[in-house]
Amino acid sequence: MYKSQEKTSNQVKAIKSAQSAIKKNPNNHLPLKNRKKIWLAYGPIDTNEENIAVQNEGYFKRVQLAIDTCKKVLPIWEKYIGINGIPHKALDYANQYLSKNLNPDELQELANNLLAGLENIQDLSDDQLNAVLVGYACVEMLLTLIGDCYCEDLDDDDEDLDIWDTSMYAAGAFSGGYPWQDPPFQSSPIKLSEFWQWYIDHAATL
């Protein structure tokens, strides 16, 4: 695991802001605006002319957070779908990419194949459908390895809009869905709070 030796003031502020945001949110959700602050506090997001991430210190922290988030919800996939499959392949591909055994184009093709596999899954129970979110979280994790986190300027729209990043998919898998959905895919406020609290606490260790 990648861990830094000391925290910047921006990291401390981002973590404190995220803690406050969960308490204020009626659904115990961590808004995109606060997730962006955590990602950006690790350091600048840079890409080359081909939109491939520059692997600086901040990149490795964001990637580690995405990988660890996938591992956090992996047991949900294993419980309802199986001990082998798309998330396991994604985590293996991530390791190969970071070990320089895959290039960006190869990883993109593999991610596309995994995504196609997720979209072709049929005849699932409600619990299995929710567990599929783990697979989507892992595909997004691979895209983070290629292009880093999507962090345009923070603005007021972030209060109402969201993006389907690794943490968003994982939050749905962990909590049973999302606040705006109807049962049986409506999130448990307690579980959603538990997930985001873990996410914030873990982000603070990197």
Side-chain angles (χ1 to χ4, degrees):
M1 176 189 292
Y2 186 95
K3 287 189 177 182
S4 61
Q5 297 301 312
E6 57 184 67
K7 302 292 177 288
T8 67
S9 60
N10 284 340
Q11 286 177 265
V12 173
K13 289 178 182 178
I15 295 300
K16 289 182 177 179
S17 177
Q19 297 278 16
S20 177
I22 290 180
K23 294 177 181 178
K24 293 178 181 178
N25 189 280
N27 297 309
N28 297 330
H29 179 56
L30 182 63
L32 173 61
K33 183 175 183 177
N34 295 93
R35 304 201 313 272
K36 283 183 176 181
K37 287 180 179 179
I38 291 174
W39 304 336
L40 289 169
Y42 288 141
I45 296 174
D46 294 322
T47 57
N48 63 21
E49 294 179 355
E50 298 178 343
N51 291 321
I52 305 301
V54 174
Q55 296 186 3
N56 53 31
E57 181 179 359
Y59 166 87
F60 285 112
K61 291 181 181 182
R62 288 183 287 270
V63 162
Q64 190 65 58
L65 181 58
I67 291 173
D68 292 344
T69 298
C70 290
K71 292 179 178 178
K72 172 71 173 177
V73 294
L74 183 61
I76 298 171
W77 176 283
E78 294 177 337
K79 179 178 180 179
Y80 293 109
I81 298 180
I83 59 173
N84 291 306
I86 290 170
H88 305 82
K89 291 179 180 178
L91 289 166
D92 178 58
Y93 296 157
N95 183 60
Q96 291 187 52
Y97 185 75
L98 292 173
S99 300
K100 308 298 184 183
N101 293 321
L102 289 173
N103 63 43
D105 289 338
E106 291 170 331
L107 186 60
Q108 181 68 63
E109 183 176 358
L110 290 169
N112 290 343
N113 291 339
L114 294 183
L115 181 60
L118 287 169
E119 293 174 344
N120 288 327
I121 294 178
Q122 298 178 351
D123 301 323
L124 299 180
S125 67
D126 290 343
D127 286 333
Q128 289 174 318
L129 283 170
N130 189 72
V132 167
L133 293 172
V134 177
Y136 283 102
C138 290
V139 170
E140 285 300 319
M141 175 269 293
L142 295 180
L143 300 183
T144 299
L145 264 71
I146 297 171
D148 212 328
C149 291
Y150 180 77
C151 281
E152 293 188 346
D153 293 338
L154 301 177
D155 54 46
D156 292 338
D157 287 341
D158 286 338
E159 297 296 335
D160 302 312
L161 301 179
D162 222 310
I163 57 173
W164 293 99
D165 65 286
T166 294
S167 65
M168 188 67 170
Y169 280 117
F174 189 88
S175 63
Y178 298 97
W180 60 84
Q181 292 181 311
D182 295 325
F185 301 112
Q186 188 174 63
S187 58
S188 159
I190 294 175
K191 294 292 288 183
L192 192 59
S193 176
E194 180 184 345
F195 173 81
W196 286 124
Q197 188 60 59
W198 170 84
Y199 187 82
I200 294 169
D201 290 344
H202 190 66
T205 70
L206 299 178

